[in-house]
Amino acid sequence: MNKPDAISWHERARSLSFRTQAFVNGRYVDAASGGTFDSLNPATGKLLARVASGDEEDINRAVAAARAVFRKGSWANLAPAKRKRALFRFADLILKHTEELALLETLDMGKPIGDSLKVDVPGAARCIQWYAEAIDKVYDEVAPTGAAALATITREPLGVVGAIVPWNYPLLMAAWKIAPVLAAGNSMVLKPSEKSPLTALKVAELAVEAGIPEGVLNVVPGFGQTAGKALALHMDVDCIAFTGSTATGRSIMQYAGQSNLKRVSLECGGKSPNIVLADYPDLDKAASAAAYAIFINQGEVCSAGSRLLLQEGIKDAMLEKVQTISKKLQPGDPLDPGTKLGAIVDEIQMKRVLGYIDSGRRDGANLRFGGRRVREDSGGFFIEPTVFEDVRPAMTIAREEIFGPVLSVITFKTPEEAVEIANDVVYGLASAVWTRDVTTAHRMARAIRAGTVYINCYDADDITVPFGGFKQSGIGRDKSLHALEKYTELKTTWLDLS
Ligand code: NAD
């Protein structure tokens, strides 16, 4: 069978149906207030769906459902091997609905359909499979107390987890929470971003179809200031697992302090340095990685290599190559399988990115290429790949997260200076070093304050490795077995044997 082309994706989009109600206790329901908000297609600016606008009352109902099923124990006390089987079925159903979910993701947030098909949907399914596979292989501990006592250290689910996620990888970021939260036996309330709620609403029913008890996974769409805040302030929520901006992360911590001291884990923003030393022999490879590190997903990536630090002498050669690659990364119709760069998620974000481009110009950085809104006649929100050179570390475009296809290029003389520049921001999510000298690579990797340091690559990824940030990029880690630490409590049980 031929692969679908842009025309057939548009045809499928026209006949696609959307789940637009909240999913509470196994059923789709309107918002308690009856209110809705508009979800627009960022590639056209046109209305896609009217989605239930959840607020405090909807959060209360969802938390009550999650608590009730947790108390009942039909999921929390299920043998891990049985939870494993249900989660496997859940992942299989996600894969079975790949085309539908990919289409929803692309229509809702503007990313290319090829990415949704190859990255987002299979990545979400793989994440759920991985935690399913892991959960009946994790053992508890016996403490070395001596013969007079038996002290066991066991991990128990927390109870009700609230997850708040962003719009850049809506399904994948949700899966990074759902998989370890459910594998560990918790119930949860997920609040997707108001800019991209559709895939989360669809997978909720797949969880129940897979045999996960009703009430274990609830999804309440709505705004941050209403539904998100109510979830983070809720007295019966044991933990908030948050992914989003550092500014919102700060509020989440305050809500936890104002309410019940619930646990908080934060996956926040970044301004990641991608450092290329002059001794690195393959500038083609480094340039290609540098372009994809910032332009993939329209630059809407928390770990984007948004600061390119080049050692003196290689700047022009590198930037010529980056420009050649960028010509192949021009924004296009997200439903065309050939498109590599889609639409910016909405008009607000597009204006924000264009504002940063103006600020770069004003601060005296040199616009090497790009810088404009394009495809305006589509009604959508597209920005071309943009590179500023002669950027100084003190400029706004070198310090703040832009979250769009804008690269700031800074030059340096020595590896020590590069590390100093790399660390001189409030973020510490990802970073990269390109050099042929293994000692320099490891020295720099140790000195860079970031959750991930890539050496001679960028954006290498696997569910087996933890992901998260130093400094204001966050607290805690997603992915790998380390994520289970966030969603379990340690219990010591002491038995006197004397
Ligand atoms: P955002 O902080 O605006 O929103 C994230 C989520 O929080 C949304 O669901 C939103 O509705 C909710 N929210 C907003 N205000 C709230 C409040 N006062 N109380 C409770 N909830 C609230 O972020 P965004 O624009 O959706 O996403 C982009 C950000 O996410 C970037 O900073 C990016 O770096 C970050 N991000 C980080 C990671 C990571 O793993 N570190 C991954 C993806 C995205």
Side-chain angles (χ1 to χ4, degrees):
M1 205 175 74
N2 288 338
K3 284 196 176 154
D5 57 11
I7 296 169
S8 63
W9 280 115
H10 277 279
E11 274 164 12
R12 286 170 200 211
R14 276 192 286 279
S15 56
L16 191 65
S17 62
F18 304 108
R19 288 294 191 183
T20 56
Q21 293 168 294
F23 192 77
V24 177
N25 210 16
R27 271 171 292 282
Y28 285 103
V29 289
D30 287 333
S33 68
T36 59
F37 63 89
D38 290 348
S39 182
L40 303 184
N41 177 350
T44 61
K46 295 206 176 103
L47 181 73
L48 203 56
R50 292 209 163 86
V51 178
S53 187
D55 59 24
E56 193 178 347
E57 180 53 28
D58 305 279
I59 291 292
N60 288 343
R61 292 176 187 181
V63 172
R67 178 60 67 190
V69 72
F70 184 74
R71 285 220 180 94
K72 203 166 133 198
S74 52
W75 179 250
N77 297 338
L78 203 63
K82 291 193 173 153
R83 287 207 294 270
K84 170 172 86 173
R85 284 199 283 279
L87 287 168
F88 269 141
R89 286 194 295 271
F90 185 27
D92 284 346
L93 284 168
I94 289 177
L95 288 175
K96 199 172 137 198
H97 287 80
T98 295
E99 290 197 355
E100 179 186 357
L101 289 166
L103 200 45
L104 285 174
E105 204 76 309
T106 288
L107 292 173
D108 210 9
M109 68 71 66
K111 69 172 67 199
I113 187 72
D115 289 2
S116 299
L117 285 168
K118 279 195 233 101
V119 178
D120 297 72
V121 181
R126 158 118 174 96
C127 175
I128 292 165
Q129 283 164 346
W130 194 84
Y131 284 99
E133 189 61 71
I135 201 62
D136 66 347
K137 294 162 192 73
V138 182
Y139 287 74
D140 290 322
E141 300 164 25
V142 177
T145 52
L150 172 66
T152 60
I153 301 164
T154 49
R155 282 200 175 271
E156 297 187 354
L158 292 176
V160 177
V161 175
I164 300 178
V165 294
W167 47 262
N168 62 332
Y169 287 92
L171 182 58
L172 192 58
M173 292 303 100
W176 285 10
K177 310 292 187 209
I178 294 171
V181 166
L182 296 195
N186 300 283
S187 305
M188 71 188 290
V189 178
L190 170 68
K191 199 214 71 75
S193 169
E194 60 278 17
K195 299 183 192 221
S196 60
L198 297 178
T199 45
L201 291 171
K202 174 65 199 174
V203 296
E205 70 177 342
L206 302 182
V208 171
E209 196 182 328
I212 296 170
E214 292 171 358
V216 170
L217 172 60
N218 306 278
V219 181
V220 178
F223 288 89
Q225 279 299 331
T226 50
K229 186 172 175 183
L231 188 59
L233 277 171
H234 203 290
M235 292 300 286
D236 202 25
V237 168
D238 299 290
C239 159
I240 287 286
F242 171 78
T243 302
S245 64
T246 295
T248 307
R250 205 166 270 132
S251 302
I252 299 283
M253 286 191 95
Q254 285 172 357
Y255 302 148
Q258 281 166 32
S259 54
N260 60 346
L261 284 188
K262 57 180 65 65
R263 285 186 184 196
V264 169
S265 64
L266 305 174
E267 295 285 346
C268 298
K271 190 74 188 174
S272 300
N274 181 13
I275 307 169
V276 187
L277 271 62
D279 71 351
Y280 186 71
D282 188 351
L283 285 194
D284 286 315
K285 183 175 169 197
S288 170
Y292 280 92
I294 180 63
F295 300 135
I296 200 80
N297 211 49
Q298 305 73 245
E300 298 161 333
V301 181
C302 53
S303 55
S306 52
R307 289 185 294 155
L308 179 60
L309 274 54
L310 298 176
Q311 195 161 25
E312 276 183 352
I314 59 169
K315 188 183 82 172
D316 281 319
M318 269 291 284
L319 293 188
E320 270 164 34
K321 292 178 193 298
V322 168
Q323 186 161 11
T324 306
I325 296 153
S326 302
K327 284 187 183 137
K328 292 183 229 148
L329 299 177
Q330 294 307 308
D333 173 9
L335 287 178
D336 183 336
T339 292
K340 295 274 190 291
L341 218 74
I344 302 292
V345 70
D346 66 5
E347 190 171 10
I348 299 171
Q349 183 64 13
M350 180 187 69
K351 286 188 171 158
R352 203 177 125 89
V353 175
L354 292 172
Y356 276 113
I357 293 173
D358 285 345
S359 123
R361 284 198 181 99
R362 270 198 315 274
D363 285 350
N366 181 30
L367 182 66
R368 176 111 185 184
F369 60 85
R372 291 170 309 154
R373 178 182 184 183
V374 290
R375 295 176 58 81
E376 210 169 331
D377 51 2
S378 67
F381 316 116
F382 297 87
I383 297 180
E384 59 186 346
T386 298
V387 171
F388 279 104
E389 60 185 335
D390 304 331
V391 175
R392 286 190 309 281
M395 289 178 183
T396 302
I397 57 164
R399 309 195 72 75
E400 294 185 11
E401 184 182 45
I402 298 174
F403 224 56
V406 182
L407 180 64
S408 300
V409 181
I410 302 170
T411 48
F412 63 90
K413 288 194 173 66
T414 63
E416 292 73 22
E417 190 194 350
V419 168
E420 208 176 303
I421 297 169
N423 286 339
D424 186 27
V425 290
V426 299
Y427 299 110
L429 192 54
S431 61
V433 176
W434 298 76
T435 173
R436 73 190 309 169
D437 183 327
V438 73
T439 307
T440 305
H442 280 284
R443 267 202 198 126
M444 292 177 72
R446 286 204 177 170
I448 293 171
R449 307 269 303 147
T452 300
V453 185
Y454 303 107
I455 296 175
N456 298 344
C457 59
Y458 204 98
D459 271 346
D461 183 39
D462 197 62
I463 189 70
T464 55
V465 295
F467 184 83
F470 282 31
K471 299 175 3 192
Q472 292 183 38
S473 286
I475 300 172
R477 295 290 179 271
D478 275 337
K479 300 166 64 187
S480 82
L481 291 181
H482 289 282
L484 292 172
E485 291 157 19
K486 301 195 294 189
Y487 309 122
T488 51
E489 280 284 16
L490 275 188
K491 179 176 279 176
T492 299
T493 308
W494 191 289
L495 175 65
D496 186 354
L497 298 179
S498 61

Short mmCIF file of all heavy atoms in Angstrom, two decimals, residues 55-56 59-60 63 160-164 189-191 223-242 248-266:
data_model
loop_
_atom_site.label_atom_id
_atom_site.label_comp_id
_atom_site.label_asym_id
_atom_site.label_seq_id
_atom_site.Cartn_x
_atom_site.Cartn_y
_atom_site.Cartn_z
N ASP A 55 -12.58 23.40 35.60
CA ASP A 55 -12.07 24.28 36.65
C ASP A 55 -12.10 23.53 37.98
O ASP A 55 -12.07 22.29 38.00
CB ASP A 55 -12.81 25.62 36.67
CG ASP A 55 -14.30 25.44 36.90
OD1 ASP A 55 -14.69 24.40 37.47
OD2 ASP A 55 -15.07 26.33 36.51
N GLU A 56 -12.16 24.26 39.08
CA GLU A 56 -12.00 23.64 40.39
C GLU A 56 -12.97 22.48 40.62
O GLU A 56 -12.60 21.43 41.14
CB GLU A 56 -12.18 24.72 41.47
CG GLU A 56 -11.73 24.24 42.82
CD GLU A 56 -11.87 25.32 43.89
OE1 GLU A 56 -12.07 26.50 43.53
OE2 GLU A 56 -11.79 24.98 45.08
N ILE A 59 -11.90 19.42 38.77
CA ILE A 59 -10.71 18.84 39.42
C ILE A 59 -11.15 18.09 40.69
O ILE A 59 -10.70 16.96 40.94
CB ILE A 59 -9.69 19.95 39.75
CG1 ILE A 59 -9.08 20.52 38.46
CG2 ILE A 59 -8.60 19.44 40.70
CD1 ILE A 59 -8.19 19.59 37.66
N ASN A 60 -12.06 18.69 41.47
CA ASN A 60 -12.54 18.02 42.69
C ASN A 60 -13.14 16.66 42.36
O ASN A 60 -12.87 15.66 43.02
CB ASN A 60 -13.60 18.88 43.40
CG ASN A 60 -12.98 20.10 44.06
OD1 ASN A 60 -11.76 20.16 44.25
ND2 ASN A 60 -13.80 21.09 44.39
N VAL A 63 -10.35 14.21 41.25
CA VAL A 63 -9.51 13.77 42.38
C VAL A 63 -10.30 12.78 43.25
O VAL A 63 -9.76 11.76 43.70
CB VAL A 63 -9.02 14.98 43.21
CG1 VAL A 63 -8.32 14.52 44.49
CG2 VAL A 63 -8.07 15.85 42.38
N VAL A 160 -2.73 9.71 44.98
CA VAL A 160 -3.25 10.43 43.81
C VAL A 160 -2.18 11.41 43.32
O VAL A 160 -1.72 12.28 44.07
CB VAL A 160 -4.54 11.21 44.17
CG1 VAL A 160 -5.02 12.03 42.96
CG2 VAL A 160 -5.63 10.24 44.62
N VAL A 161 -1.80 11.24 42.08
CA VAL A 161 -0.80 12.12 41.46
C VAL A 161 -1.52 13.08 40.50
O VAL A 161 -2.38 12.65 39.72
CB VAL A 161 0.25 11.30 40.68
CG1 VAL A 161 1.22 12.22 39.94
CG2 VAL A 161 1.02 10.37 41.63
N GLY A 162 -1.18 14.35 40.57
CA GLY A 162 -1.66 15.33 39.59
C GLY A 162 -0.54 15.58 38.60
O GLY A 162 0.59 15.87 39.02
N ALA A 163 -0.83 15.46 37.31
CA ALA A 163 0.20 15.71 36.30
C ALA A 163 -0.24 16.90 35.45
O ALA A 163 -1.38 16.95 34.99
CB ALA A 163 0.42 14.48 35.44
N ILE A 164 0.67 17.85 35.28
CA ILE A 164 0.37 19.05 34.47
C ILE A 164 1.43 19.10 33.38
O ILE A 164 2.63 19.11 33.68
CB ILE A 164 0.42 20.32 35.34
CG1 ILE A 164 -0.64 20.23 36.47
CG2 ILE A 164 0.18 21.57 34.49
CD1 ILE A 164 -0.64 21.41 37.43
N VAL A 189 -4.71 12.38 37.99
CA VAL A 189 -5.50 13.36 37.23
C VAL A 189 -4.50 14.11 36.35
O VAL A 189 -3.56 14.72 36.86
CB VAL A 189 -6.21 14.36 38.16
CG1 VAL A 189 -6.97 15.40 37.34
CG2 VAL A 189 -7.15 13.62 39.12
N LEU A 190 -4.72 14.02 35.05
CA LEU A 190 -3.82 14.67 34.10
C LEU A 190 -4.48 15.94 33.57
O LEU A 190 -5.64 15.91 33.14
CB LEU A 190 -3.57 13.70 32.93
CG LEU A 190 -2.85 14.24 31.70
CD1 LEU A 190 -1.40 14.58 32.01
CD2 LEU A 190 -2.90 13.20 30.56
N LYS A 191 -3.73 17.06 33.62
CA LYS A 191 -4.22 18.29 33.00
C LYS A 191 -3.34 18.63 31.82
O LYS A 191 -2.21 19.09 31.98
CB LYS A 191 -4.25 19.47 33.98
CG LYS A 191 -5.19 20.54 33.42
CD LYS A 191 -4.82 21.96 33.70
CE LYS A 191 -3.66 22.54 33.01
NZ LYS A 191 -3.83 22.89 31.59
N PHE A 223 -7.58 25.61 31.66
CA PHE A 223 -6.47 26.57 31.70
C PHE A 223 -5.62 26.37 32.97
O PHE A 223 -6.07 25.78 33.95
CB PHE A 223 -7.02 28.00 31.65
CG PHE A 223 -7.55 28.33 30.29
CD1 PHE A 223 -8.87 28.07 29.95
CD2 PHE A 223 -6.70 28.88 29.33
CE1 PHE A 223 -9.34 28.36 28.68
CE2 PHE A 223 -7.18 29.16 28.05
CZ PHE A 223 -8.50 28.90 27.73
N GLY A 224 -4.41 26.90 32.90
CA GLY A 224 -3.49 26.78 34.03
C GLY A 224 -4.02 27.48 35.27
O GLY A 224 -3.98 26.93 36.37
N GLN A 225 -4.53 28.70 35.06
CA GLN A 225 -4.96 29.52 36.21
C GLN A 225 -6.20 28.97 36.89
O GLN A 225 -6.50 29.35 38.02
CB GLN A 225 -5.24 30.95 35.73
CG GLN A 225 -4.00 31.81 35.58
CD GLN A 225 -3.24 32.00 36.89
OE1 GLN A 225 -3.81 31.97 37.97
NE2 GLN A 225 -1.93 32.16 36.80
N THR A 226 -6.94 28.08 36.20
CA THR A 226 -8.15 27.51 36.80
C THR A 226 -7.90 26.03 37.15
O THR A 226 -7.62 25.71 38.30
CB THR A 226 -9.35 27.68 35.85
OG1 THR A 226 -8.97 27.21 34.55
CG2 THR A 226 -9.78 29.11 35.75
N ALA A 227 -7.94 25.17 36.13
CA ALA A 227 -7.81 23.73 36.39
C ALA A 227 -6.42 23.38 36.96
O ALA A 227 -6.31 22.62 37.94
CB ALA A 227 -8.06 22.95 35.10
N GLY A 228 -5.36 23.95 36.37
CA GLY A 228 -4.01 23.60 36.82
C GLY A 228 -3.78 24.03 38.26
O GLY A 228 -3.29 23.26 39.09
N LYS A 229 -4.18 25.27 38.55
CA LYS A 229 -3.98 25.80 39.90
C LYS A 229 -4.79 24.99 40.92
O LYS A 229 -4.29 24.65 42.01
CB LYS A 229 -4.39 27.27 39.92
CG LYS A 229 -4.12 27.97 41.22
CD LYS A 229 -4.38 29.47 41.07
CE LYS A 229 -4.21 30.16 42.41
NZ LYS A 229 -4.51 31.59 42.32
N ALA A 230 -6.03 24.65 40.56
CA ALA A 230 -6.88 23.88 41.49
C ALA A 230 -6.26 22.53 41.79
O ALA A 230 -6.31 22.04 42.93
CB ALA A 230 -8.28 23.72 40.89
N LEU A 231 -5.66 21.92 40.79
CA LEU A 231 -5.02 20.61 40.99
C LEU A 231 -3.81 20.74 41.92
O LEU A 231 -3.62 19.95 42.84
CB LEU A 231 -4.61 20.05 39.62
CG LEU A 231 -4.10 18.62 39.56
CD1 LEU A 231 -5.13 17.62 40.09
CD2 LEU A 231 -3.73 18.23 38.11
N ALA A 232 -3.01 21.78 41.67
CA ALA A 232 -1.79 21.94 42.47
C ALA A 232 -2.09 22.38 43.90
O ALA A 232 -1.29 22.16 44.81
CB ALA A 232 -0.86 22.95 41.78
N LEU A 233 -3.26 23.01 44.11
CA LEU A 233 -3.64 23.45 45.46
C LEU A 233 -4.46 22.39 46.20
O LEU A 233 -4.76 22.56 47.38
CB LEU A 233 -4.49 24.73 45.38
CG LEU A 233 -3.76 26.06 45.24
CD1 LEU A 233 -4.76 27.18 44.94
CD2 LEU A 233 -2.96 26.40 46.49
N HIS A 234 -4.83 21.33 45.51
CA HIS A 234 -5.79 20.38 46.09
C HIS A 234 -5.22 19.68 47.33
O HIS A 234 -4.10 19.20 47.32
CB HIS A 234 -6.18 19.34 45.03
CG HIS A 234 -7.50 18.71 45.31
ND1 HIS A 234 -7.71 17.84 46.36
CD2 HIS A 234 -8.70 18.85 44.70
CE1 HIS A 234 -8.97 17.46 46.37
NE2 HIS A 234 -9.60 18.07 45.37
N MET A 235 -6.04 19.62 48.38
CA MET A 235 -5.56 19.03 49.65
C MET A 235 -5.48 17.51 49.60
O MET A 235 -4.89 16.88 50.46
CB MET A 235 -6.51 19.45 50.80
CG MET A 235 -6.46 20.92 51.13
SD MET A 235 -4.82 21.48 51.63
CE MET A 235 -4.72 20.80 53.28
N ASP A 236 -6.12 16.89 48.59
CA ASP A 236 -6.10 15.43 48.55
C ASP A 236 -5.25 14.89 47.38
O ASP A 236 -5.40 13.75 46.96
CB ASP A 236 -7.54 14.90 48.46
CG ASP A 236 -7.63 13.46 48.93
OD1 ASP A 236 -6.77 13.03 49.74
OD2 ASP A 236 -8.55 12.75 48.48
N VAL A 237 -4.40 15.74 46.85
CA VAL A 237 -3.45 15.30 45.82
C VAL A 237 -2.09 15.14 46.50
O VAL A 237 -1.64 16.03 47.23
CB VAL A 237 -3.39 16.33 44.66
CG1 VAL A 237 -2.23 16.06 43.73
CG2 VAL A 237 -4.70 16.32 43.89
N ASP A 238 -1.45 14.00 46.30
CA ASP A 238 -0.21 13.70 47.04
C ASP A 238 1.04 14.21 46.35
O ASP A 238 2.10 14.29 46.97
CB ASP A 238 -0.09 12.18 47.22
CG ASP A 238 -1.26 11.63 48.02
OD1 ASP A 238 -1.32 11.91 49.22
OD2 ASP A 238 -2.13 10.96 47.43
N CYS A 239 0.92 14.51 45.07
CA CYS A 239 2.14 14.88 44.33
C CYS A 239 1.74 15.60 43.05
O CYS A 239 0.74 15.25 42.43
CB CYS A 239 2.88 13.58 44.00
SG CYS A 239 4.03 13.64 42.65
N ILE A 240 2.48 16.61 42.68
CA ILE A 240 2.29 17.23 41.36
C ILE A 240 3.54 16.95 40.53
O ILE A 240 4.66 17.26 40.94
CB ILE A 240 2.07 18.76 41.45
CG1 ILE A 240 0.69 19.09 41.99
CG2 ILE A 240 2.23 19.41 40.07
CD1 ILE A 240 -0.48 18.88 41.04
N ALA A 241 3.30 16.31 39.40
CA ALA A 241 4.38 16.07 38.44
C ALA A 241 4.18 17.07 37.32
O ALA A 241 3.22 16.99 36.56
CB ALA A 241 4.28 14.65 37.91
N PHE A 242 5.08 18.04 37.24
CA PHE A 242 4.87 19.17 36.33
C PHE A 242 5.92 19.20 35.23
O PHE A 242 7.11 19.00 35.50
CB PHE A 242 4.93 20.48 37.12
CG PHE A 242 4.93 21.71 36.26
CD1 PHE A 242 3.76 22.17 35.68
CD2 PHE A 242 6.12 22.41 36.00
CE1 PHE A 242 3.75 23.30 34.86
CE2 PHE A 242 6.13 23.54 35.18
CZ PHE A 242 4.94 23.98 34.62
N THR A 248 6.01 28.96 35.64
CA THR A 248 4.89 28.21 36.21
C THR A 248 5.38 27.24 37.28
O THR A 248 4.71 27.04 38.30
CB THR A 248 4.12 27.45 35.10
OG1 THR A 248 3.76 28.37 34.08
CG2 THR A 248 2.87 26.80 35.63
N GLY A 249 6.56 26.65 37.07
CA GLY A 249 7.13 25.75 38.07
C GLY A 249 7.25 26.42 39.43
O GLY A 249 7.00 25.83 40.49
N ARG A 250 7.61 27.70 39.38
CA ARG A 250 7.74 28.47 40.62
C ARG A 250 6.38 28.56 41.32
O ARG A 250 6.29 28.37 42.54
CB ARG A 250 8.24 29.87 40.22
CG ARG A 250 8.96 30.59 41.29
CD ARG A 250 9.69 31.79 40.72
NE ARG A 250 11.03 31.43 40.32
CZ ARG A 250 11.59 31.72 39.16
NH1 ARG A 250 10.94 32.38 38.25
NH2 ARG A 250 12.82 31.34 38.90
N SER A 251 5.32 28.82 40.55
CA SER A 251 3.97 28.89 41.15
C SER A 251 3.58 27.53 41.73
O SER A 251 2.98 27.46 42.81
CB SER A 251 2.93 29.28 40.10
OG SER A 251 3.24 30.50 39.53
N ILE A 252 3.91 26.46 41.03
CA ILE A 252 3.52 25.12 41.49
C ILE A 252 4.12 24.85 42.88
O ILE A 252 3.45 24.32 43.77
CB ILE A 252 3.99 24.04 40.49
CG1 ILE A 252 3.37 24.25 39.11
CG2 ILE A 252 3.74 22.62 41.02
CD1 ILE A 252 1.95 23.84 38.94
N MET A 253 5.37 25.25 43.06
CA MET A 253 5.99 25.05 44.38
C MET A 253 5.26 25.86 45.45
O MET A 253 5.07 25.39 46.57
CB MET A 253 7.46 25.47 44.35
CG MET A 253 8.33 24.49 43.62
SD MET A 253 10.06 24.84 43.87
CE MET A 253 10.42 23.76 45.23
N GLN A 254 4.85 27.06 45.08
CA GLN A 254 4.11 27.88 46.05
C GLN A 254 2.77 27.24 46.42
O GLN A 254 2.41 27.19 47.58
CB GLN A 254 3.86 29.28 45.48
CG GLN A 254 5.13 30.12 45.49
CD GLN A 254 4.96 31.43 44.75
OE1 GLN A 254 3.92 31.71 44.18
NE2 GLN A 254 6.01 32.23 44.75
N TYR A 255 2.07 26.71 45.40
CA TYR A 255 0.77 26.08 45.68
C TYR A 255 0.96 24.89 46.63
O TYR A 255 0.14 24.66 47.51
CB TYR A 255 0.10 25.59 44.40
CG TYR A 255 -0.16 26.65 43.35
CD1 TYR A 255 -0.12 26.33 41.99
CD2 TYR A 255 -0.45 27.96 43.71
CE1 TYR A 255 -0.36 27.29 41.03
CE2 TYR A 255 -0.69 28.93 42.74
CZ TYR A 255 -0.64 28.59 41.40
OH TYR A 255 -0.87 29.54 40.44
N ALA A 256 2.03 24.15 46.42
CA ALA A 256 2.28 22.99 47.30
C ALA A 256 2.49 23.47 48.73
O ALA A 256 1.96 22.90 49.69
CB ALA A 256 3.48 22.20 46.80
N GLY A 257 3.25 24.57 48.87
CA GLY A 257 3.50 25.12 50.19
C GLY A 257 2.24 25.68 50.84
O GLY A 257 2.03 25.54 52.04
N GLN A 258 1.40 26.29 50.01
CA GLN A 258 0.15 26.88 50.55
C GLN A 258 -0.88 25.82 50.93
O GLN A 258 -1.80 26.10 51.67
CB GLN A 258 -0.52 27.75 49.48
CG GLN A 258 0.09 29.11 49.31
CD GLN A 258 -0.42 29.74 48.01
OE1 GLN A 258 -1.55 29.52 47.59
NE2 GLN A 258 0.42 30.52 47.36
N SER A 259 -0.76 24.63 50.38
CA SER A 259 -1.80 23.62 50.62
C SER A 259 -1.28 22.52 51.54
O SER A 259 -1.08 22.77 52.73
CB SER A 259 -2.32 23.07 49.29
OG SER A 259 -1.26 22.60 48.48
N ASN A 260 -0.98 21.35 51.01
CA ASN A 260 -0.69 20.20 51.87
C ASN A 260 0.75 19.71 51.78
O ASN A 260 1.01 18.54 52.06
CB ASN A 260 -1.65 19.05 51.52
CG ASN A 260 -1.49 18.63 50.06
OD1 ASN A 260 -0.88 19.34 49.28
ND2 ASN A 260 -2.03 17.48 49.70
N LEU A 261 1.67 20.56 51.37
CA LEU A 261 3.06 20.15 51.21
C LEU A 261 3.19 18.94 50.32
O LEU A 261 4.00 18.05 50.57
CB LEU A 261 3.71 19.86 52.56
CG LEU A 261 4.11 21.04 53.42
CD1 LEU A 261 4.93 20.56 54.63
CD2 LEU A 261 4.96 22.04 52.64
N LYS A 262 2.35 18.88 49.30
CA LYS A 262 2.44 17.75 48.37
C LYS A 262 3.82 17.73 47.73
O LYS A 262 4.48 18.79 47.62
CB LYS A 262 1.34 17.82 47.31
CG LYS A 262 1.36 19.11 46.50
CD LYS A 262 0.26 19.14 45.46
CE LYS A 262 -1.14 19.16 45.96
NZ LYS A 262 -1.54 20.38 46.72
N ARG A 263 4.25 16.58 47.35
CA ARG A 263 5.53 16.51 46.65
C ARG A 263 5.45 17.21 45.30
O ARG A 263 4.40 17.16 44.64
CB ARG A 263 5.85 15.06 46.31
CG ARG A 263 6.30 14.25 47.44
CD ARG A 263 6.68 12.96 46.82
NE ARG A 263 7.06 12.01 47.82
CZ ARG A 263 7.71 10.92 47.52
NH1 ARG A 263 8.04 10.65 46.27
NH2 ARG A 263 8.04 10.07 48.45
N VAL A 264 6.55 17.75 44.89
CA VAL A 264 6.58 18.46 43.60
C VAL A 264 7.77 17.97 42.79
O VAL A 264 8.88 17.90 43.31
CB VAL A 264 6.68 19.98 43.83
CG1 VAL A 264 6.99 20.70 42.54
CG2 VAL A 264 5.40 20.53 44.43
N SER A 265 7.54 17.60 41.55
CA SER A 265 8.68 17.40 40.65
C SER A 265 8.48 18.33 39.45
O SER A 265 7.34 18.54 39.00
CB SER A 265 8.80 15.95 40.20
OG SER A 265 7.67 15.57 39.45
N LEU A 266 9.57 18.92 39.01
CA LEU A 266 9.48 19.95 37.97
C LEU A 266 10.42 19.64 36.81
O LEU A 266 11.61 19.40 37.02
CB LEU A 266 9.87 21.32 38.55
CG LEU A 266 9.12 21.83 39.78
CD1 LEU A 266 9.75 23.12 40.28
CD2 LEU A 266 7.65 22.03 39.47
#
